[in-house]
Amino acid sequence: MKVLWTWLMAMTLFGMASVSLAVGVVENNAAADTSLKEAASGASLFQTNCLHCHNGSVPKAPHAISFNMMSTTSILSAISEGVMRQQAAHLSEEERVLIAQHLSESAETVSIEVKACDKDFTPALANNDPSWSGWGGGIRNQRFQDAESAGLSQSTVDDLELKWAFAYSGATRARSQPLVHGNTVFVGSQKGTVYALDLTSGCAHWQYEAGAEVRNGITVARLENQPDPVLFFGDFEAQVHAISARTGAALWRASVATHADATITGSVKYHEERLYVPISSSEWATAADPGYACCTFRGSVAALNANDGSLFWNSFVIPTAPGETGEINPAGAKRMAPAGAPVWNSPTIDAERGLLYVGTGEGYTSPAVSTSDAVVAMRLDDGGIVWSQQLLAGDAWNMACFIGGGGNCPQENGPDLDIGAATILWQGETRDLLFVGQKSGDVYALDPNAGGQAVWHKKLGRGGYAGGVHWGMTANQDALFVPIADTHFPGLPNDPAFPGLHALDPLTGAVRWYAPALDECPENKKPACDPGLSAAATSSNQLIFAGGFDGLLRAYDAASGEVLWKYNSLGEFDTVSGELGRGGSIESDGPVVANGHLLVNSGYQFGSRMPGNVLLVFGLKSTEVAEGLVRE
């Protein structure tokens, strides 16, 4: 079973909690004599078990040259308790430690205490709910911030400068979208710590330990039974947390897992004292083990009582429960079906129609189900499926199609073109439309009054594993703005690519303008550095903000696509948290604009993208700059 594939995969796409056992093992080994023989053993183990997938031959596996950006503890966590733990099961604990030390080029990990705010300095919260909450800014997922709340305009955006940087300790990716409430920033992290940071200085008011990676956006709401605003979020272990925004104290925690590999990637959505939770999984990776009986996970949405976490309903997008097919794979494991169609985007709430909308991913088994790569409409009150609209039929895939001998690879073998971006409910003067973006590079407008029938369809890019449209589009009242990645992966057709930002007429889909993402990558950073726009974009009345795989953050004129401001987040940062920070690819979560500030995460170790661990906070030049400037 020489299919370690990518521990990084375990860390980067799905993540996990830090491993106390692993830390102890590392410390014990660090205290021992790190001889040349041990170092050679680590290199040999890596070459034998891992290099064949990390030499650029597997499209989604990070290249070996990027591993020295990771800490020993992070690598050890990934191969001990991550989604690839089954693939690493044949390695002893000592062998895992040797590999981790070899890759990180270190025998120990240094933990630095985050700078705390003064004890008498409490979080400054807004009197009312902020205009932006959760992943999409509001229940319709437009990712739109009005000009007054944004505090930025075409005339002032050029005055943005870095105010401070915050390093997530021991992380190789930064993907939990921050929330600004008053003068406080709330954000999760790879190791499972949720921070409350002062927007002006970056000091930490409090920290909450979730116990597993928090990689989605934080949602806030006021409840009748709580004196202070409440924060809601999910973690890698498929647990939903409710904590006090004032103190960070836990109010309740509830599991929505119905499968051992269940996880929460998309952000929870709050509406009328209910939380709607999208449920995804890592079973697509577990399937690479030829001895695994693949597959049994089904994507779903759960509805919880926001006051106590109790379950109202959990609705599966595949109504039929999986069972034995009567077949076995070449390794003798039973084949199971149907499975897949994970939900890894934040639900869109249609309060007027009493519905929510989610996009689904690929099937894990053959034949691909009719609700894979589909938009599914569910009733808010009981989760019943009202309609589904499949946008790509016959898409079934799991990691066995890349590694492990292919025993669990479905006959379809892809193309793995999920609907990963949240749908957008756009309300125009004459009609409502539901905008959908797909990893294939296709964009649709569906009619919510006609069972999701397509009103228009536009092909904007060649698509691929990272999009096409990957994490999120944005819309104001005048246009739909679509970031396209179109990154090329080895072994796939190298058709013409159109990376960049596209503006579409919301009623017809006609292209208003296209701002290409130019290749500004240093040669020594390629192919990890790529101009594609995969992370979600954000809009206001006049501006569009989008970040790229190349680490560039840009502000565009919403009317013309002209780049009005840009910032290169690659490099090292002295941070207010006291730890050296690194910027890398901007991926997954998008920029957040609030109170005259622009916030963005930089660093995303996955699929050969550039790792990093920083939250960057920009403000106008007239305001005070905290410590934490870019290193020369």
Side-chain angles (χ1 to χ4, degrees):
M1 254 175 57
K2 297 177 181 177
V3 288
L4 250 183
W5 189 57
T6 167
W7 325 299
L8 210 21
M9 197 73 150
M11 282 201 47
T12 54
L13 187 58
F14 293 107
M16 69 220 50
S18 57
V19 185
S20 58
L21 174 61
V23 174
V25 174
V26 170
E27 290 174 348
N28 291 337
N29 279 272
D33 176 27
T34 308
S35 65
L36 291 175
K37 181 178 179 180
E38 288 174 328
S41 297
S44 176
L45 285 165
F46 174 74
Q47 184 173 6
T48 302
N49 294 278
C50 324
L51 184 60
H52 61 290
C53 287
H54 294 284
N55 59 7
S57 60
V58 175
K60 292 191 177 184
H63 198 281
I65 61 174
S66 63
F67 288 137
N68 62 3
M69 297 288 289
M70 298 177 64
S71 69
T72 302
T73 303
S74 295
I75 296 173
L76 197 54
S77 298
I79 61 179
S80 297
E81 295 192 351
V83 297
M84 300 309 292
R85 59 190 177 274
Q86 287 183 290
Q87 282 71 27
H90 67 291
L91 295 170
S92 69
E93 190 172 280
E94 181 182 4
E95 288 173 327
R96 296 175 194 173
V97 170
L98 289 172
I99 291 175
Q101 291 177 349
H102 163 68
L103 292 176
S104 66
E105 300 179 1
S106 173
E108 58 185 342
T109 303
V110 178
S111 178
I112 298 178
E113 187 174 347
V114 173
K115 177 184 177 181
C117 300
D118 293 337
K119 293 183 178 179
D120 57 352
F121 183 36
T122 59
L125 305 178
N127 293 327
N128 301 312
D129 287 339
S131 56
W132 182 293
S133 177
W135 175 259
I139 61 173
R140 293 188 284 127
N141 278 331
Q142 281 191 234
R143 298 192 59 84
F144 171 81
Q145 180 75 291
D146 65 86
E148 181 179 354
S149 299
L152 297 173
S153 66
Q154 291 173 334
S155 61
T156 62
V157 70
D158 194 47
D159 289 329
L160 284 172
E161 65 179 2
L162 182 66
K163 296 300 181 181
W164 51 269
F166 180 89
Y168 303 105
S169 180
T172 58
R173 65 177 173 272
R175 62 177 292 184
S176 172
Q177 184 170 281
L179 165 73
V180 178
H181 195 307
N183 203 55
T184 306
V185 179
F186 301 100
V187 67
S189 67
Q190 186 175 350
K191 72 174 184 179
T193 304
V194 175
Y195 300 92
L197 307 175
D198 179 67
L199 179 60
T200 302
S201 68
C203 68
H205 290 290
W206 50 254
Q207 300 176 49
Y208 170 83
E209 301 300 333
E213 183 181 14
V214 176
R215 52 203 179 122
N216 39 59
I218 309 293
T219 296
V220 65
R222 292 182 180 271
L223 303 179
E224 291 186 1
N225 65 348
Q226 293 296 330
D228 297 312
V230 178
L231 305 177
F232 302 100
F233 51 90
D235 68 26
F236 174 72
E237 299 293 343
Q239 295 187 101
V240 181
H241 302 251
I243 65 176
S244 167
R246 181 78 61 184
T247 66
L251 301 177
W252 56 258
R253 178 185 301 196
S255 174
V256 293
T258 58
H259 190 280
D261 287 342
T263 190
I264 300 173
T265 299
S267 302
V268 303
K269 189 72 68 184
Y270 174 86
H271 179 61
E272 295 185 347
E273 304 216 343
R274 285 193 179 193
L275 292 177
Y276 297 94
V277 186
I279 304 174
S280 181
S281 88
S282 58
E283 192 184 29
W284 64 270
T286 305
D289 178 0
Y292 178 74
C294 172
C295 284
T296 55
F297 170 82
R298 294 178 291 161
S300 67
V301 178
L304 305 182
N305 186 325
N307 293 287
D308 59 15
S310 57
L311 180 70
F312 287 118
W313 51 259
N314 190 352
S315 179
F316 294 97
V317 298
I318 303 176
T320 303
E324 296 180 13
T325 65
E327 300 178 355
I328 60 173
N329 73 10
K334 294 179 180 179
R335 295 193 191 277
M336 311 291 287
V343 180
W344 50 281
N345 46 70
S346 186
T348 299
I349 304 296
D350 187 341
E352 180 180 334
R353 297 173 181 83
L355 301 175
L356 66 79
Y357 309 110
V358 291
T360 66
E362 83 283 1
Y364 295 166
T365 56
S366 290
V369 294
S370 61
T371 50
S372 62
D373 294 354
V375 176
V376 179
M378 299 178 179
R379 287 190 296 269
L380 293 173
D381 58 355
D382 63 6
I385 294 178
V386 177
W387 56 260
S388 66
Q389 188 65 244
Q390 187 172 49
L391 301 181
L392 179 64
D395 184 4
W397 179 91
N398 62 54
M399 187 47 62
C401 299
F402 279 161
I403 59 171
N408 283 329
C409 178
Q411 291 180 350
E412 294 89 340
N413 190 7
D416 183 25
L417 297 176
D418 316 48
I419 300 172
T423 60
I424 295 174
L425 180 60
W426 184 80
Q427 296 180 326
E429 293 182 1
T430 59
R431 69 182 309 173
D432 293 354
L433 293 171
L434 189 65
F435 297 137
V436 184
Q438 193 168 0
K439 285 167 61 176
S440 59
D442 293 274
V443 180
Y444 300 82
L446 306 184
D447 187 348
N449 287 325
Q453 292 297 312
V455 176
W456 56 256
H457 166 217
K458 197 75 175 180
K459 177 78 169 175
L460 294 178
R462 67 183 175 195
Y465 298 131
V469 181
H470 200 184
W471 289 100
M473 307 181 295
T474 182
N476 60 22
Q477 283 308 108
D478 298 321
L480 172 66
F481 304 96
V482 184
I484 293 290
D486 272 8
T487 300
H488 176 62
F489 287 91
L492 295 181
N494 197 10
D495 296 330
F498 301 92
L501 191 64
H502 304 246
L504 305 185
D505 184 298
L507 293 174
T508 67
V511 176
R512 293 259 182 86
W513 52 256
Y514 165 47
L518 303 178
D519 186 354
E520 301 182 37
C521 291
E523 288 299 321
N524 65 345
K525 296 290 186 180
K526 295 180 178 180
C529 184
D530 181 275
L533 304 185
S534 173
T538 300
S539 64
S540 66
N541 300 79
Q542 300 178 333
L543 300 167
I544 313 298
F545 297 92
F549 281 145
D550 53 10
L552 286 173
L553 174 62
R554 297 178 178 91
Y556 300 82
D557 184 323
S560 67
E562 178 187 357
V563 176
L564 302 177
W565 174 88
K566 70 177 180 179
Y567 183 88
N568 191 340
S569 69
L570 295 185
E572 296 183 339
F573 296 83
D574 292 319
T575 69
V576 295
S577 49
E579 182 174 339
L580 180 65
R582 293 186 178 92
S585 295
I586 297 175
E587 167 69 317
S588 185
D589 67 298
V592 170
V593 189
N595 304 342
H597 289 77
L598 172 64
L599 299 84
V600 70
N601 283 312
S602 181
Y604 194 85
Q605 175 104 48
F606 170 69
S608 293
R609 300 281 74 87
M610 296 183 291
N613 66 338
V614 291
L615 169 66
L616 303 177
V617 178
F618 301 87
L620 298 176
K621 291 179 180 178
S622 58
T623 58
E624 182 181 353
V625 178
E627 295 179 2
L629 301 178
V630 181
R631 283 189 158 197
E632 298 295 338

